[in-house]
């Protein structure tokens, strides 16, 4: 009997020990899972914070949308400081100044009168070998550049377009600027270089007829996969990210324009593909200072860029983040 009781006691002890071991293993596994989830949560929080910072404009390195082989046409240059910033730009050191054509809507005398600081920029551009033109209407580029066997550009840039008519009524103001943008997009089409349309949706592909284009994406996640061969010429337009500029609905105007004009002289309205959009960092262009269409004086703060004069924060309400949209003509157009 004693032997039997001893055997049962030993068996009970072994079972109890095994149970304790199993419980310990289960608890250890449970803690390991909790710890792993905690680490994943920390990583997710960090990633989320990073995404929020990018969306808020704190995205780090600025995108410079030019390469050294680009032929560049600049529209509505104002004081020509943006054009000058491209000369010897650190991101495109091999860009020949002769590849730059900088234009202004004003006559040369009006330009120098409205923008006293333009003279030095114009002189620097001409000395370097760039082309500087005045009286160029973005809505009628054919009046400056012969439409027969037209010159072609890889990048056509219009930073902060505005009709500058001081229209008080917001709806009329929006309509006037939308009309100008539509006419520009129609006017510029013959002057864009032929080539392959890049696709931002899939690696190693190009956009085919009937395919939709990319929607707005954060500049950190937007990667354009260039196909082999020459890329098609693109249009780059920069606007502030605030009203009334956001109400112009630039992306829709370019991709799905609604044209109501019945003028016999109106150009066919092409449809564009939005290649990408990205934050515009004026500080990435050394010496660049944007000016109002109506003019500028030395006591006025720069609207965009590192202004040298800060007296009372003039027109402070118009400063803030800006964005560049890049478009190419749809292949079927």
């Amino acid at each position: 009997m004693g032997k039997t009781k001893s055997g049962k006691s030993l068996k009970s002890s072994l079972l109890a020990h095994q149970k304790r071991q199993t419980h310990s293993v289960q608890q250890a596994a449970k803690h390991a899972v909790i710890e792993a989830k905690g680490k994943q949560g920390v990583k997710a929080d960090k990633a989320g914070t990073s995404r929020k910072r990018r969306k808020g404009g704190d995205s780090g390195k600025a995108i410079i949308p030019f390469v050294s082989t680009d032929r560049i046409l600049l529209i509505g240059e104002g004081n020509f400081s943006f054009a000058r910033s491209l000369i010897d730009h650190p991101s495109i050191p091999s860009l020949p100044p002769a590849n730059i054509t900088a234009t202004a809507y004003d006559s040369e005398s009006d330009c120098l009168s409205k923008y006293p600081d333009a003279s030095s920029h114009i002189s620097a551009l001409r000395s370097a070998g760039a082309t500087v033109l005045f009286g160029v209407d973005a809505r009628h580029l054919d009046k400056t550049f012969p439409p027969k066997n037209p010159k072609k550009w890889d990048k056509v840039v219009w930073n902060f377009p505005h009709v500058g008519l001081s229209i008080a009524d917001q709806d009329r103001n929006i309509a006037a600027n939308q009309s100008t943008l539509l006419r520009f997009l129609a006017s510029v089409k013959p002057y864009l270089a032929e080539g392959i349309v890049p696709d931002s949706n899939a690696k190693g592909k190009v956009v085919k007829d009937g395919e939709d284009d990319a929607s707005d994406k954060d500049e950190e996640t937007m990667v354009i996969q260039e196909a082999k061969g020459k890329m098609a010429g693109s249009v780059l337009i920069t606007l502030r990210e605030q009203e009334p500029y956001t109400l112009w609905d630039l992306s829709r105007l370019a991709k799905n324009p609604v044209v109501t004009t019945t003028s016999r002289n109106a150009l066919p309205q092409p449809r564009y593909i939005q290649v990408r959009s990205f934050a515009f960092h004026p500080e990435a262009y050394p010496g660049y200072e944007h000016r109002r269409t109506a003019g500028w004086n030395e006591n006025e703060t720069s609207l965009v860029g590192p202004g040298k004069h800060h007296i009372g924060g003039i027109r402070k309400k118009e400063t803030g983040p800006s964005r560049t949209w890049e478009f190419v003509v749809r292949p079927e157009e």
Side-chain angles (χ1 to χ4, degrees):
M1 293 290 293
K3 187 175 181 180
T4 303
K5 288 181 180 179
S6 176
K8 288 182 178 179
S9 177
L10 179 60
K11 185 176 181 181
S12 297
S13 297
L14 288 171
L15 288 173
H17 179 67
Q18 289 175 348
K19 187 175 181 180
R20 285 194 298 271
Q21 281 189 321
T22 301
H23 179 72
S24 297
V25 171
Q26 289 174 340
Q27 287 295 106
K30 184 177 180 180
H31 286 302
V33 170
I34 292 173
E35 185 178 358
K37 287 183 177 180
K39 289 180 178 179
Q40 289 176 354
V42 170
K43 289 181 179 179
D45 288 342
K46 288 182 178 179
T49 301
S50 178
R51 284 193 295 270
K52 288 179 181 178
R53 285 178 179 173
R54 288 200 297 268
K55 289 181 179 180
D58 184 17
S59 56
K61 188 176 180 180
I63 292 177
I64 306 298
F66 307 107
V67 296
S68 295
T69 56
D70 279 341
R71 296 161 294 175
I72 302 170
L73 173 63
L74 303 174
I75 302 294
E77 264 299 276
N79 70 348
F80 289 89
S81 62
F82 184 81
R84 186 178 182 181
S85 75
L86 298 183
I87 304 294
D88 298 323
H89 192 285
S91 295
I92 41 176
S94 301
L95 176 70
N99 281 20
I100 299 173
T101 300
T103 73
Y105 177 76
D106 297 309
S107 66
E108 185 166 1
S109 59
D110 285 345
C111 176
L112 295 175
S113 175
K114 290 168 64 174
Y115 312 108
D117 58 337
S119 179
S120 61
H121 299 314
I122 294 168
S123 296
L125 286 164
R126 286 173 168 164
S127 297
T131 299
V132 178
L133 300 174
F134 296 91
V136 178
D137 189 338
R139 302 165 298 179
H140 303 285
L141 292 176
D142 59 313
K143 292 184 178 180
T144 301
F145 306 106
K148 187 176 181 179
N149 299 319
K151 185 174 182 178
K152 302 287 185 175
W153 281 278
D154 301 299
K155 301 284 170 56
V156 179
V157 182
W158 196 356
N159 291 323
F160 306 102
H162 198 284
V163 295
L165 298 178
S166 300
I167 301 173
D169 182 80
Q170 180 168 275
D171 290 341
R172 289 179 56 215
N173 192 307
I174 292 170
N177 282 286
Q178 287 181 325
S179 175
T180 295
L181 287 170
L182 283 171
R183 293 169 73 180
F184 163 62
L185 290 170
S187 176
V188 75
K189 180 189 171 184
Y191 304 98
L192 296 172
E194 291 85 2
I196 299 170
V197 176
D199 178 17
S200 58
N201 296 308
K203 185 176 181 179
K205 293 184 179 180
V206 293
V207 174
K208 299 178 181 178
D209 291 359
E211 289 184 350
D212 199 7
D213 57 293
S215 59
D216 288 354
K217 294 184 180 180
D218 188 88
E219 60 269 26
E220 293 295 318
T221 60
M222 190 67 166
V223 179
I224 298 177
Q225 302 294 339
E226 294 189 352
K228 292 181 179 179
K230 182 69 175 175
M231 292 294 103
S234 62
V235 176
L236 296 103
I237 300 174
T238 301
L239 295 172
R240 292 188 187 85
E241 290 193 280
Q242 66 180 53
E243 293 186 0
Y245 310 102
T246 52
L247 299 177
W248 296 1
D249 204 2
L250 172 60
S251 183
R252 181 191 61 79
L253 283 181
K255 296 188 294 184
N256 298 296
V258 178
V259 184
T260 58
T261 181
T262 57
S263 172
R264 293 181 180 179
N265 297 322
L267 293 170
Q269 192 66 49
R271 290 197 302 152
Y272 285 77
I273 290 171
Q274 181 177 308
V275 177
R276 59 178 172 171
S277 72
F278 51 90
F280 177 81
H281 296 276
E283 66 276 7
Y285 299 91
Y288 170 54
E289 292 186 339
H290 174 56
R291 301 295 186 230
R292 291 186 297 124
T293 305
W296 176 83
N297 64 71
E298 63 179 10
N299 293 323
E300 188 169 334
T301 301
S302 173
L303 299 185
V304 175
K308 297 178 182 177
H309 306 279
H310 297 275
I311 300 178
I314 297 175
R315 299 184 68 84
K316 184 177 180 181
K317 66 179 181 179
E318 290 197 6
T319 62
S322 303
R323 194 163 195 83
T324 299
W325 282 263
E326 184 171 10
F327 304 100
V328 294
V329 177
R330 291 191 69 91
E332 70 267 27
E333 296 291 343

